[in-house]
């Protein structure tokens, strides 16, 4: 978590910054994210909204690289477009770290749901987290902060 404490911009899942952009319209404000906002270092982004998905929206999970919502609709193109745009933003801003919401099919890093909407977690990254990891950013999950 070294780069979170260094200076410089940090891409942050917007829901951790207090924006009500979660699938159910709720917020998941995290003190560490709010502190980055206070310092003027947070770049809040909700890749699912950026890709064109509405809020609220049905829950989404990844299955074999495809993003499917709980009602069975495929939303891969929208999630992928938002993830790409958010990753581009991180690159443009020169972010070296990201603080990400856990277990999301888009922002989750290291562990995500298995795609069966059964509550089962498996190793893996959400679409944005995977792009940021490939770019070499340090990924910090909200769960890393306890
Ligand atoms: S896509 Fe990311 S930022 Fe948007 S609500 Fe889901 S976890 Fe939060």
């Amino acid at each position: 978590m070294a780069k979170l404490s260094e200076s410089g911009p940090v891409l942050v899942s917007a829901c951790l910054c207090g924006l009500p952009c979660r699938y159910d319209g709720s917020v998941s404000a995290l003190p560490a994210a709010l502190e980055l906002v206070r310092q003027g270092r947070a770049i809040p982004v909700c890749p699912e909204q950026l890709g064109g998905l509405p809020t609220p929206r049905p829950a989404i999970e990844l299955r074999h690289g495809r993003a499917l919502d709980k009602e069975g609709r495929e939303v891969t193109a929208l999630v992928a477009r938002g993830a790409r745009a958010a990753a581009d933003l991180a690159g443009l801003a020169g972010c070296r770290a990201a603080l990400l919401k856990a277990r999301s099919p888009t922002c989750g890093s290291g562990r995500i749901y298995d795609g069966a909407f059964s509550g089962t977690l498996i190793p893996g990254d959400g679409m944005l987290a995977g792009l940021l990891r490939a770019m070499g950013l340090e990924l910090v999950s909200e769960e890393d902060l306890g």
Side-chain angles (χ1 to χ4, degrees):
M1 278 169 271
K3 295 191 180 80
L4 276 195
S5 56
E6 295 173 4
S7 61
V10 177
L11 196 80
V12 185
S13 297
C15 55
L16 298 181
C17 296
L19 300 175
C21 52
R22 294 194 67 207
Y23 73 97
D24 58 359
S26 68
V27 178
S28 294
L30 183 75
L34 298 176
E35 176 60 20
L36 289 169
V37 172
R38 193 193 64 75
Q39 294 174 2
R41 295 171 57 207
I43 300 186
V45 61
C46 175
E48 291 179 15
Q49 286 189 335
L50 199 53
L53 287 160
T55 304
R57 55 191 172 275
I60 297 166
E61 293 192 4
L62 296 186
R63 192 173 183 88
H64 305 304
R66 297 166 64 203
L68 302 167
D69 75 19
K70 201 168 184 178
E71 295 169 5
R73 284 181 296 243
E74 172 143 21
V75 292
T76 306
L78 296 175
V79 175
R81 181 171 70 178
R84 183 72 261 165
D88 288 348
L89 188 60
L92 279 170
C95 296
R96 296 174 59 210
L99 176 56
L100 299 172
K101 180 87 180 84
R103 291 168 274 155
S104 155
T106 311
C107 293
S109 61
R111 291 196 313 160
I112 55 172
Y113 290 114
D114 69 351
F117 296 95
S118 64
T120 304
L121 289 164
I122 57 172
D125 285 332
M127 283 198 186
L128 172 62
L131 292 174
L132 297 177
R133 192 185 297 282
M135 290 164 62
L137 272 72
E138 178 184 49
L139 304 186
V140 179
S141 167
E142 58 171 334
E143 292 181 331
D144 297 333
L145 302 177

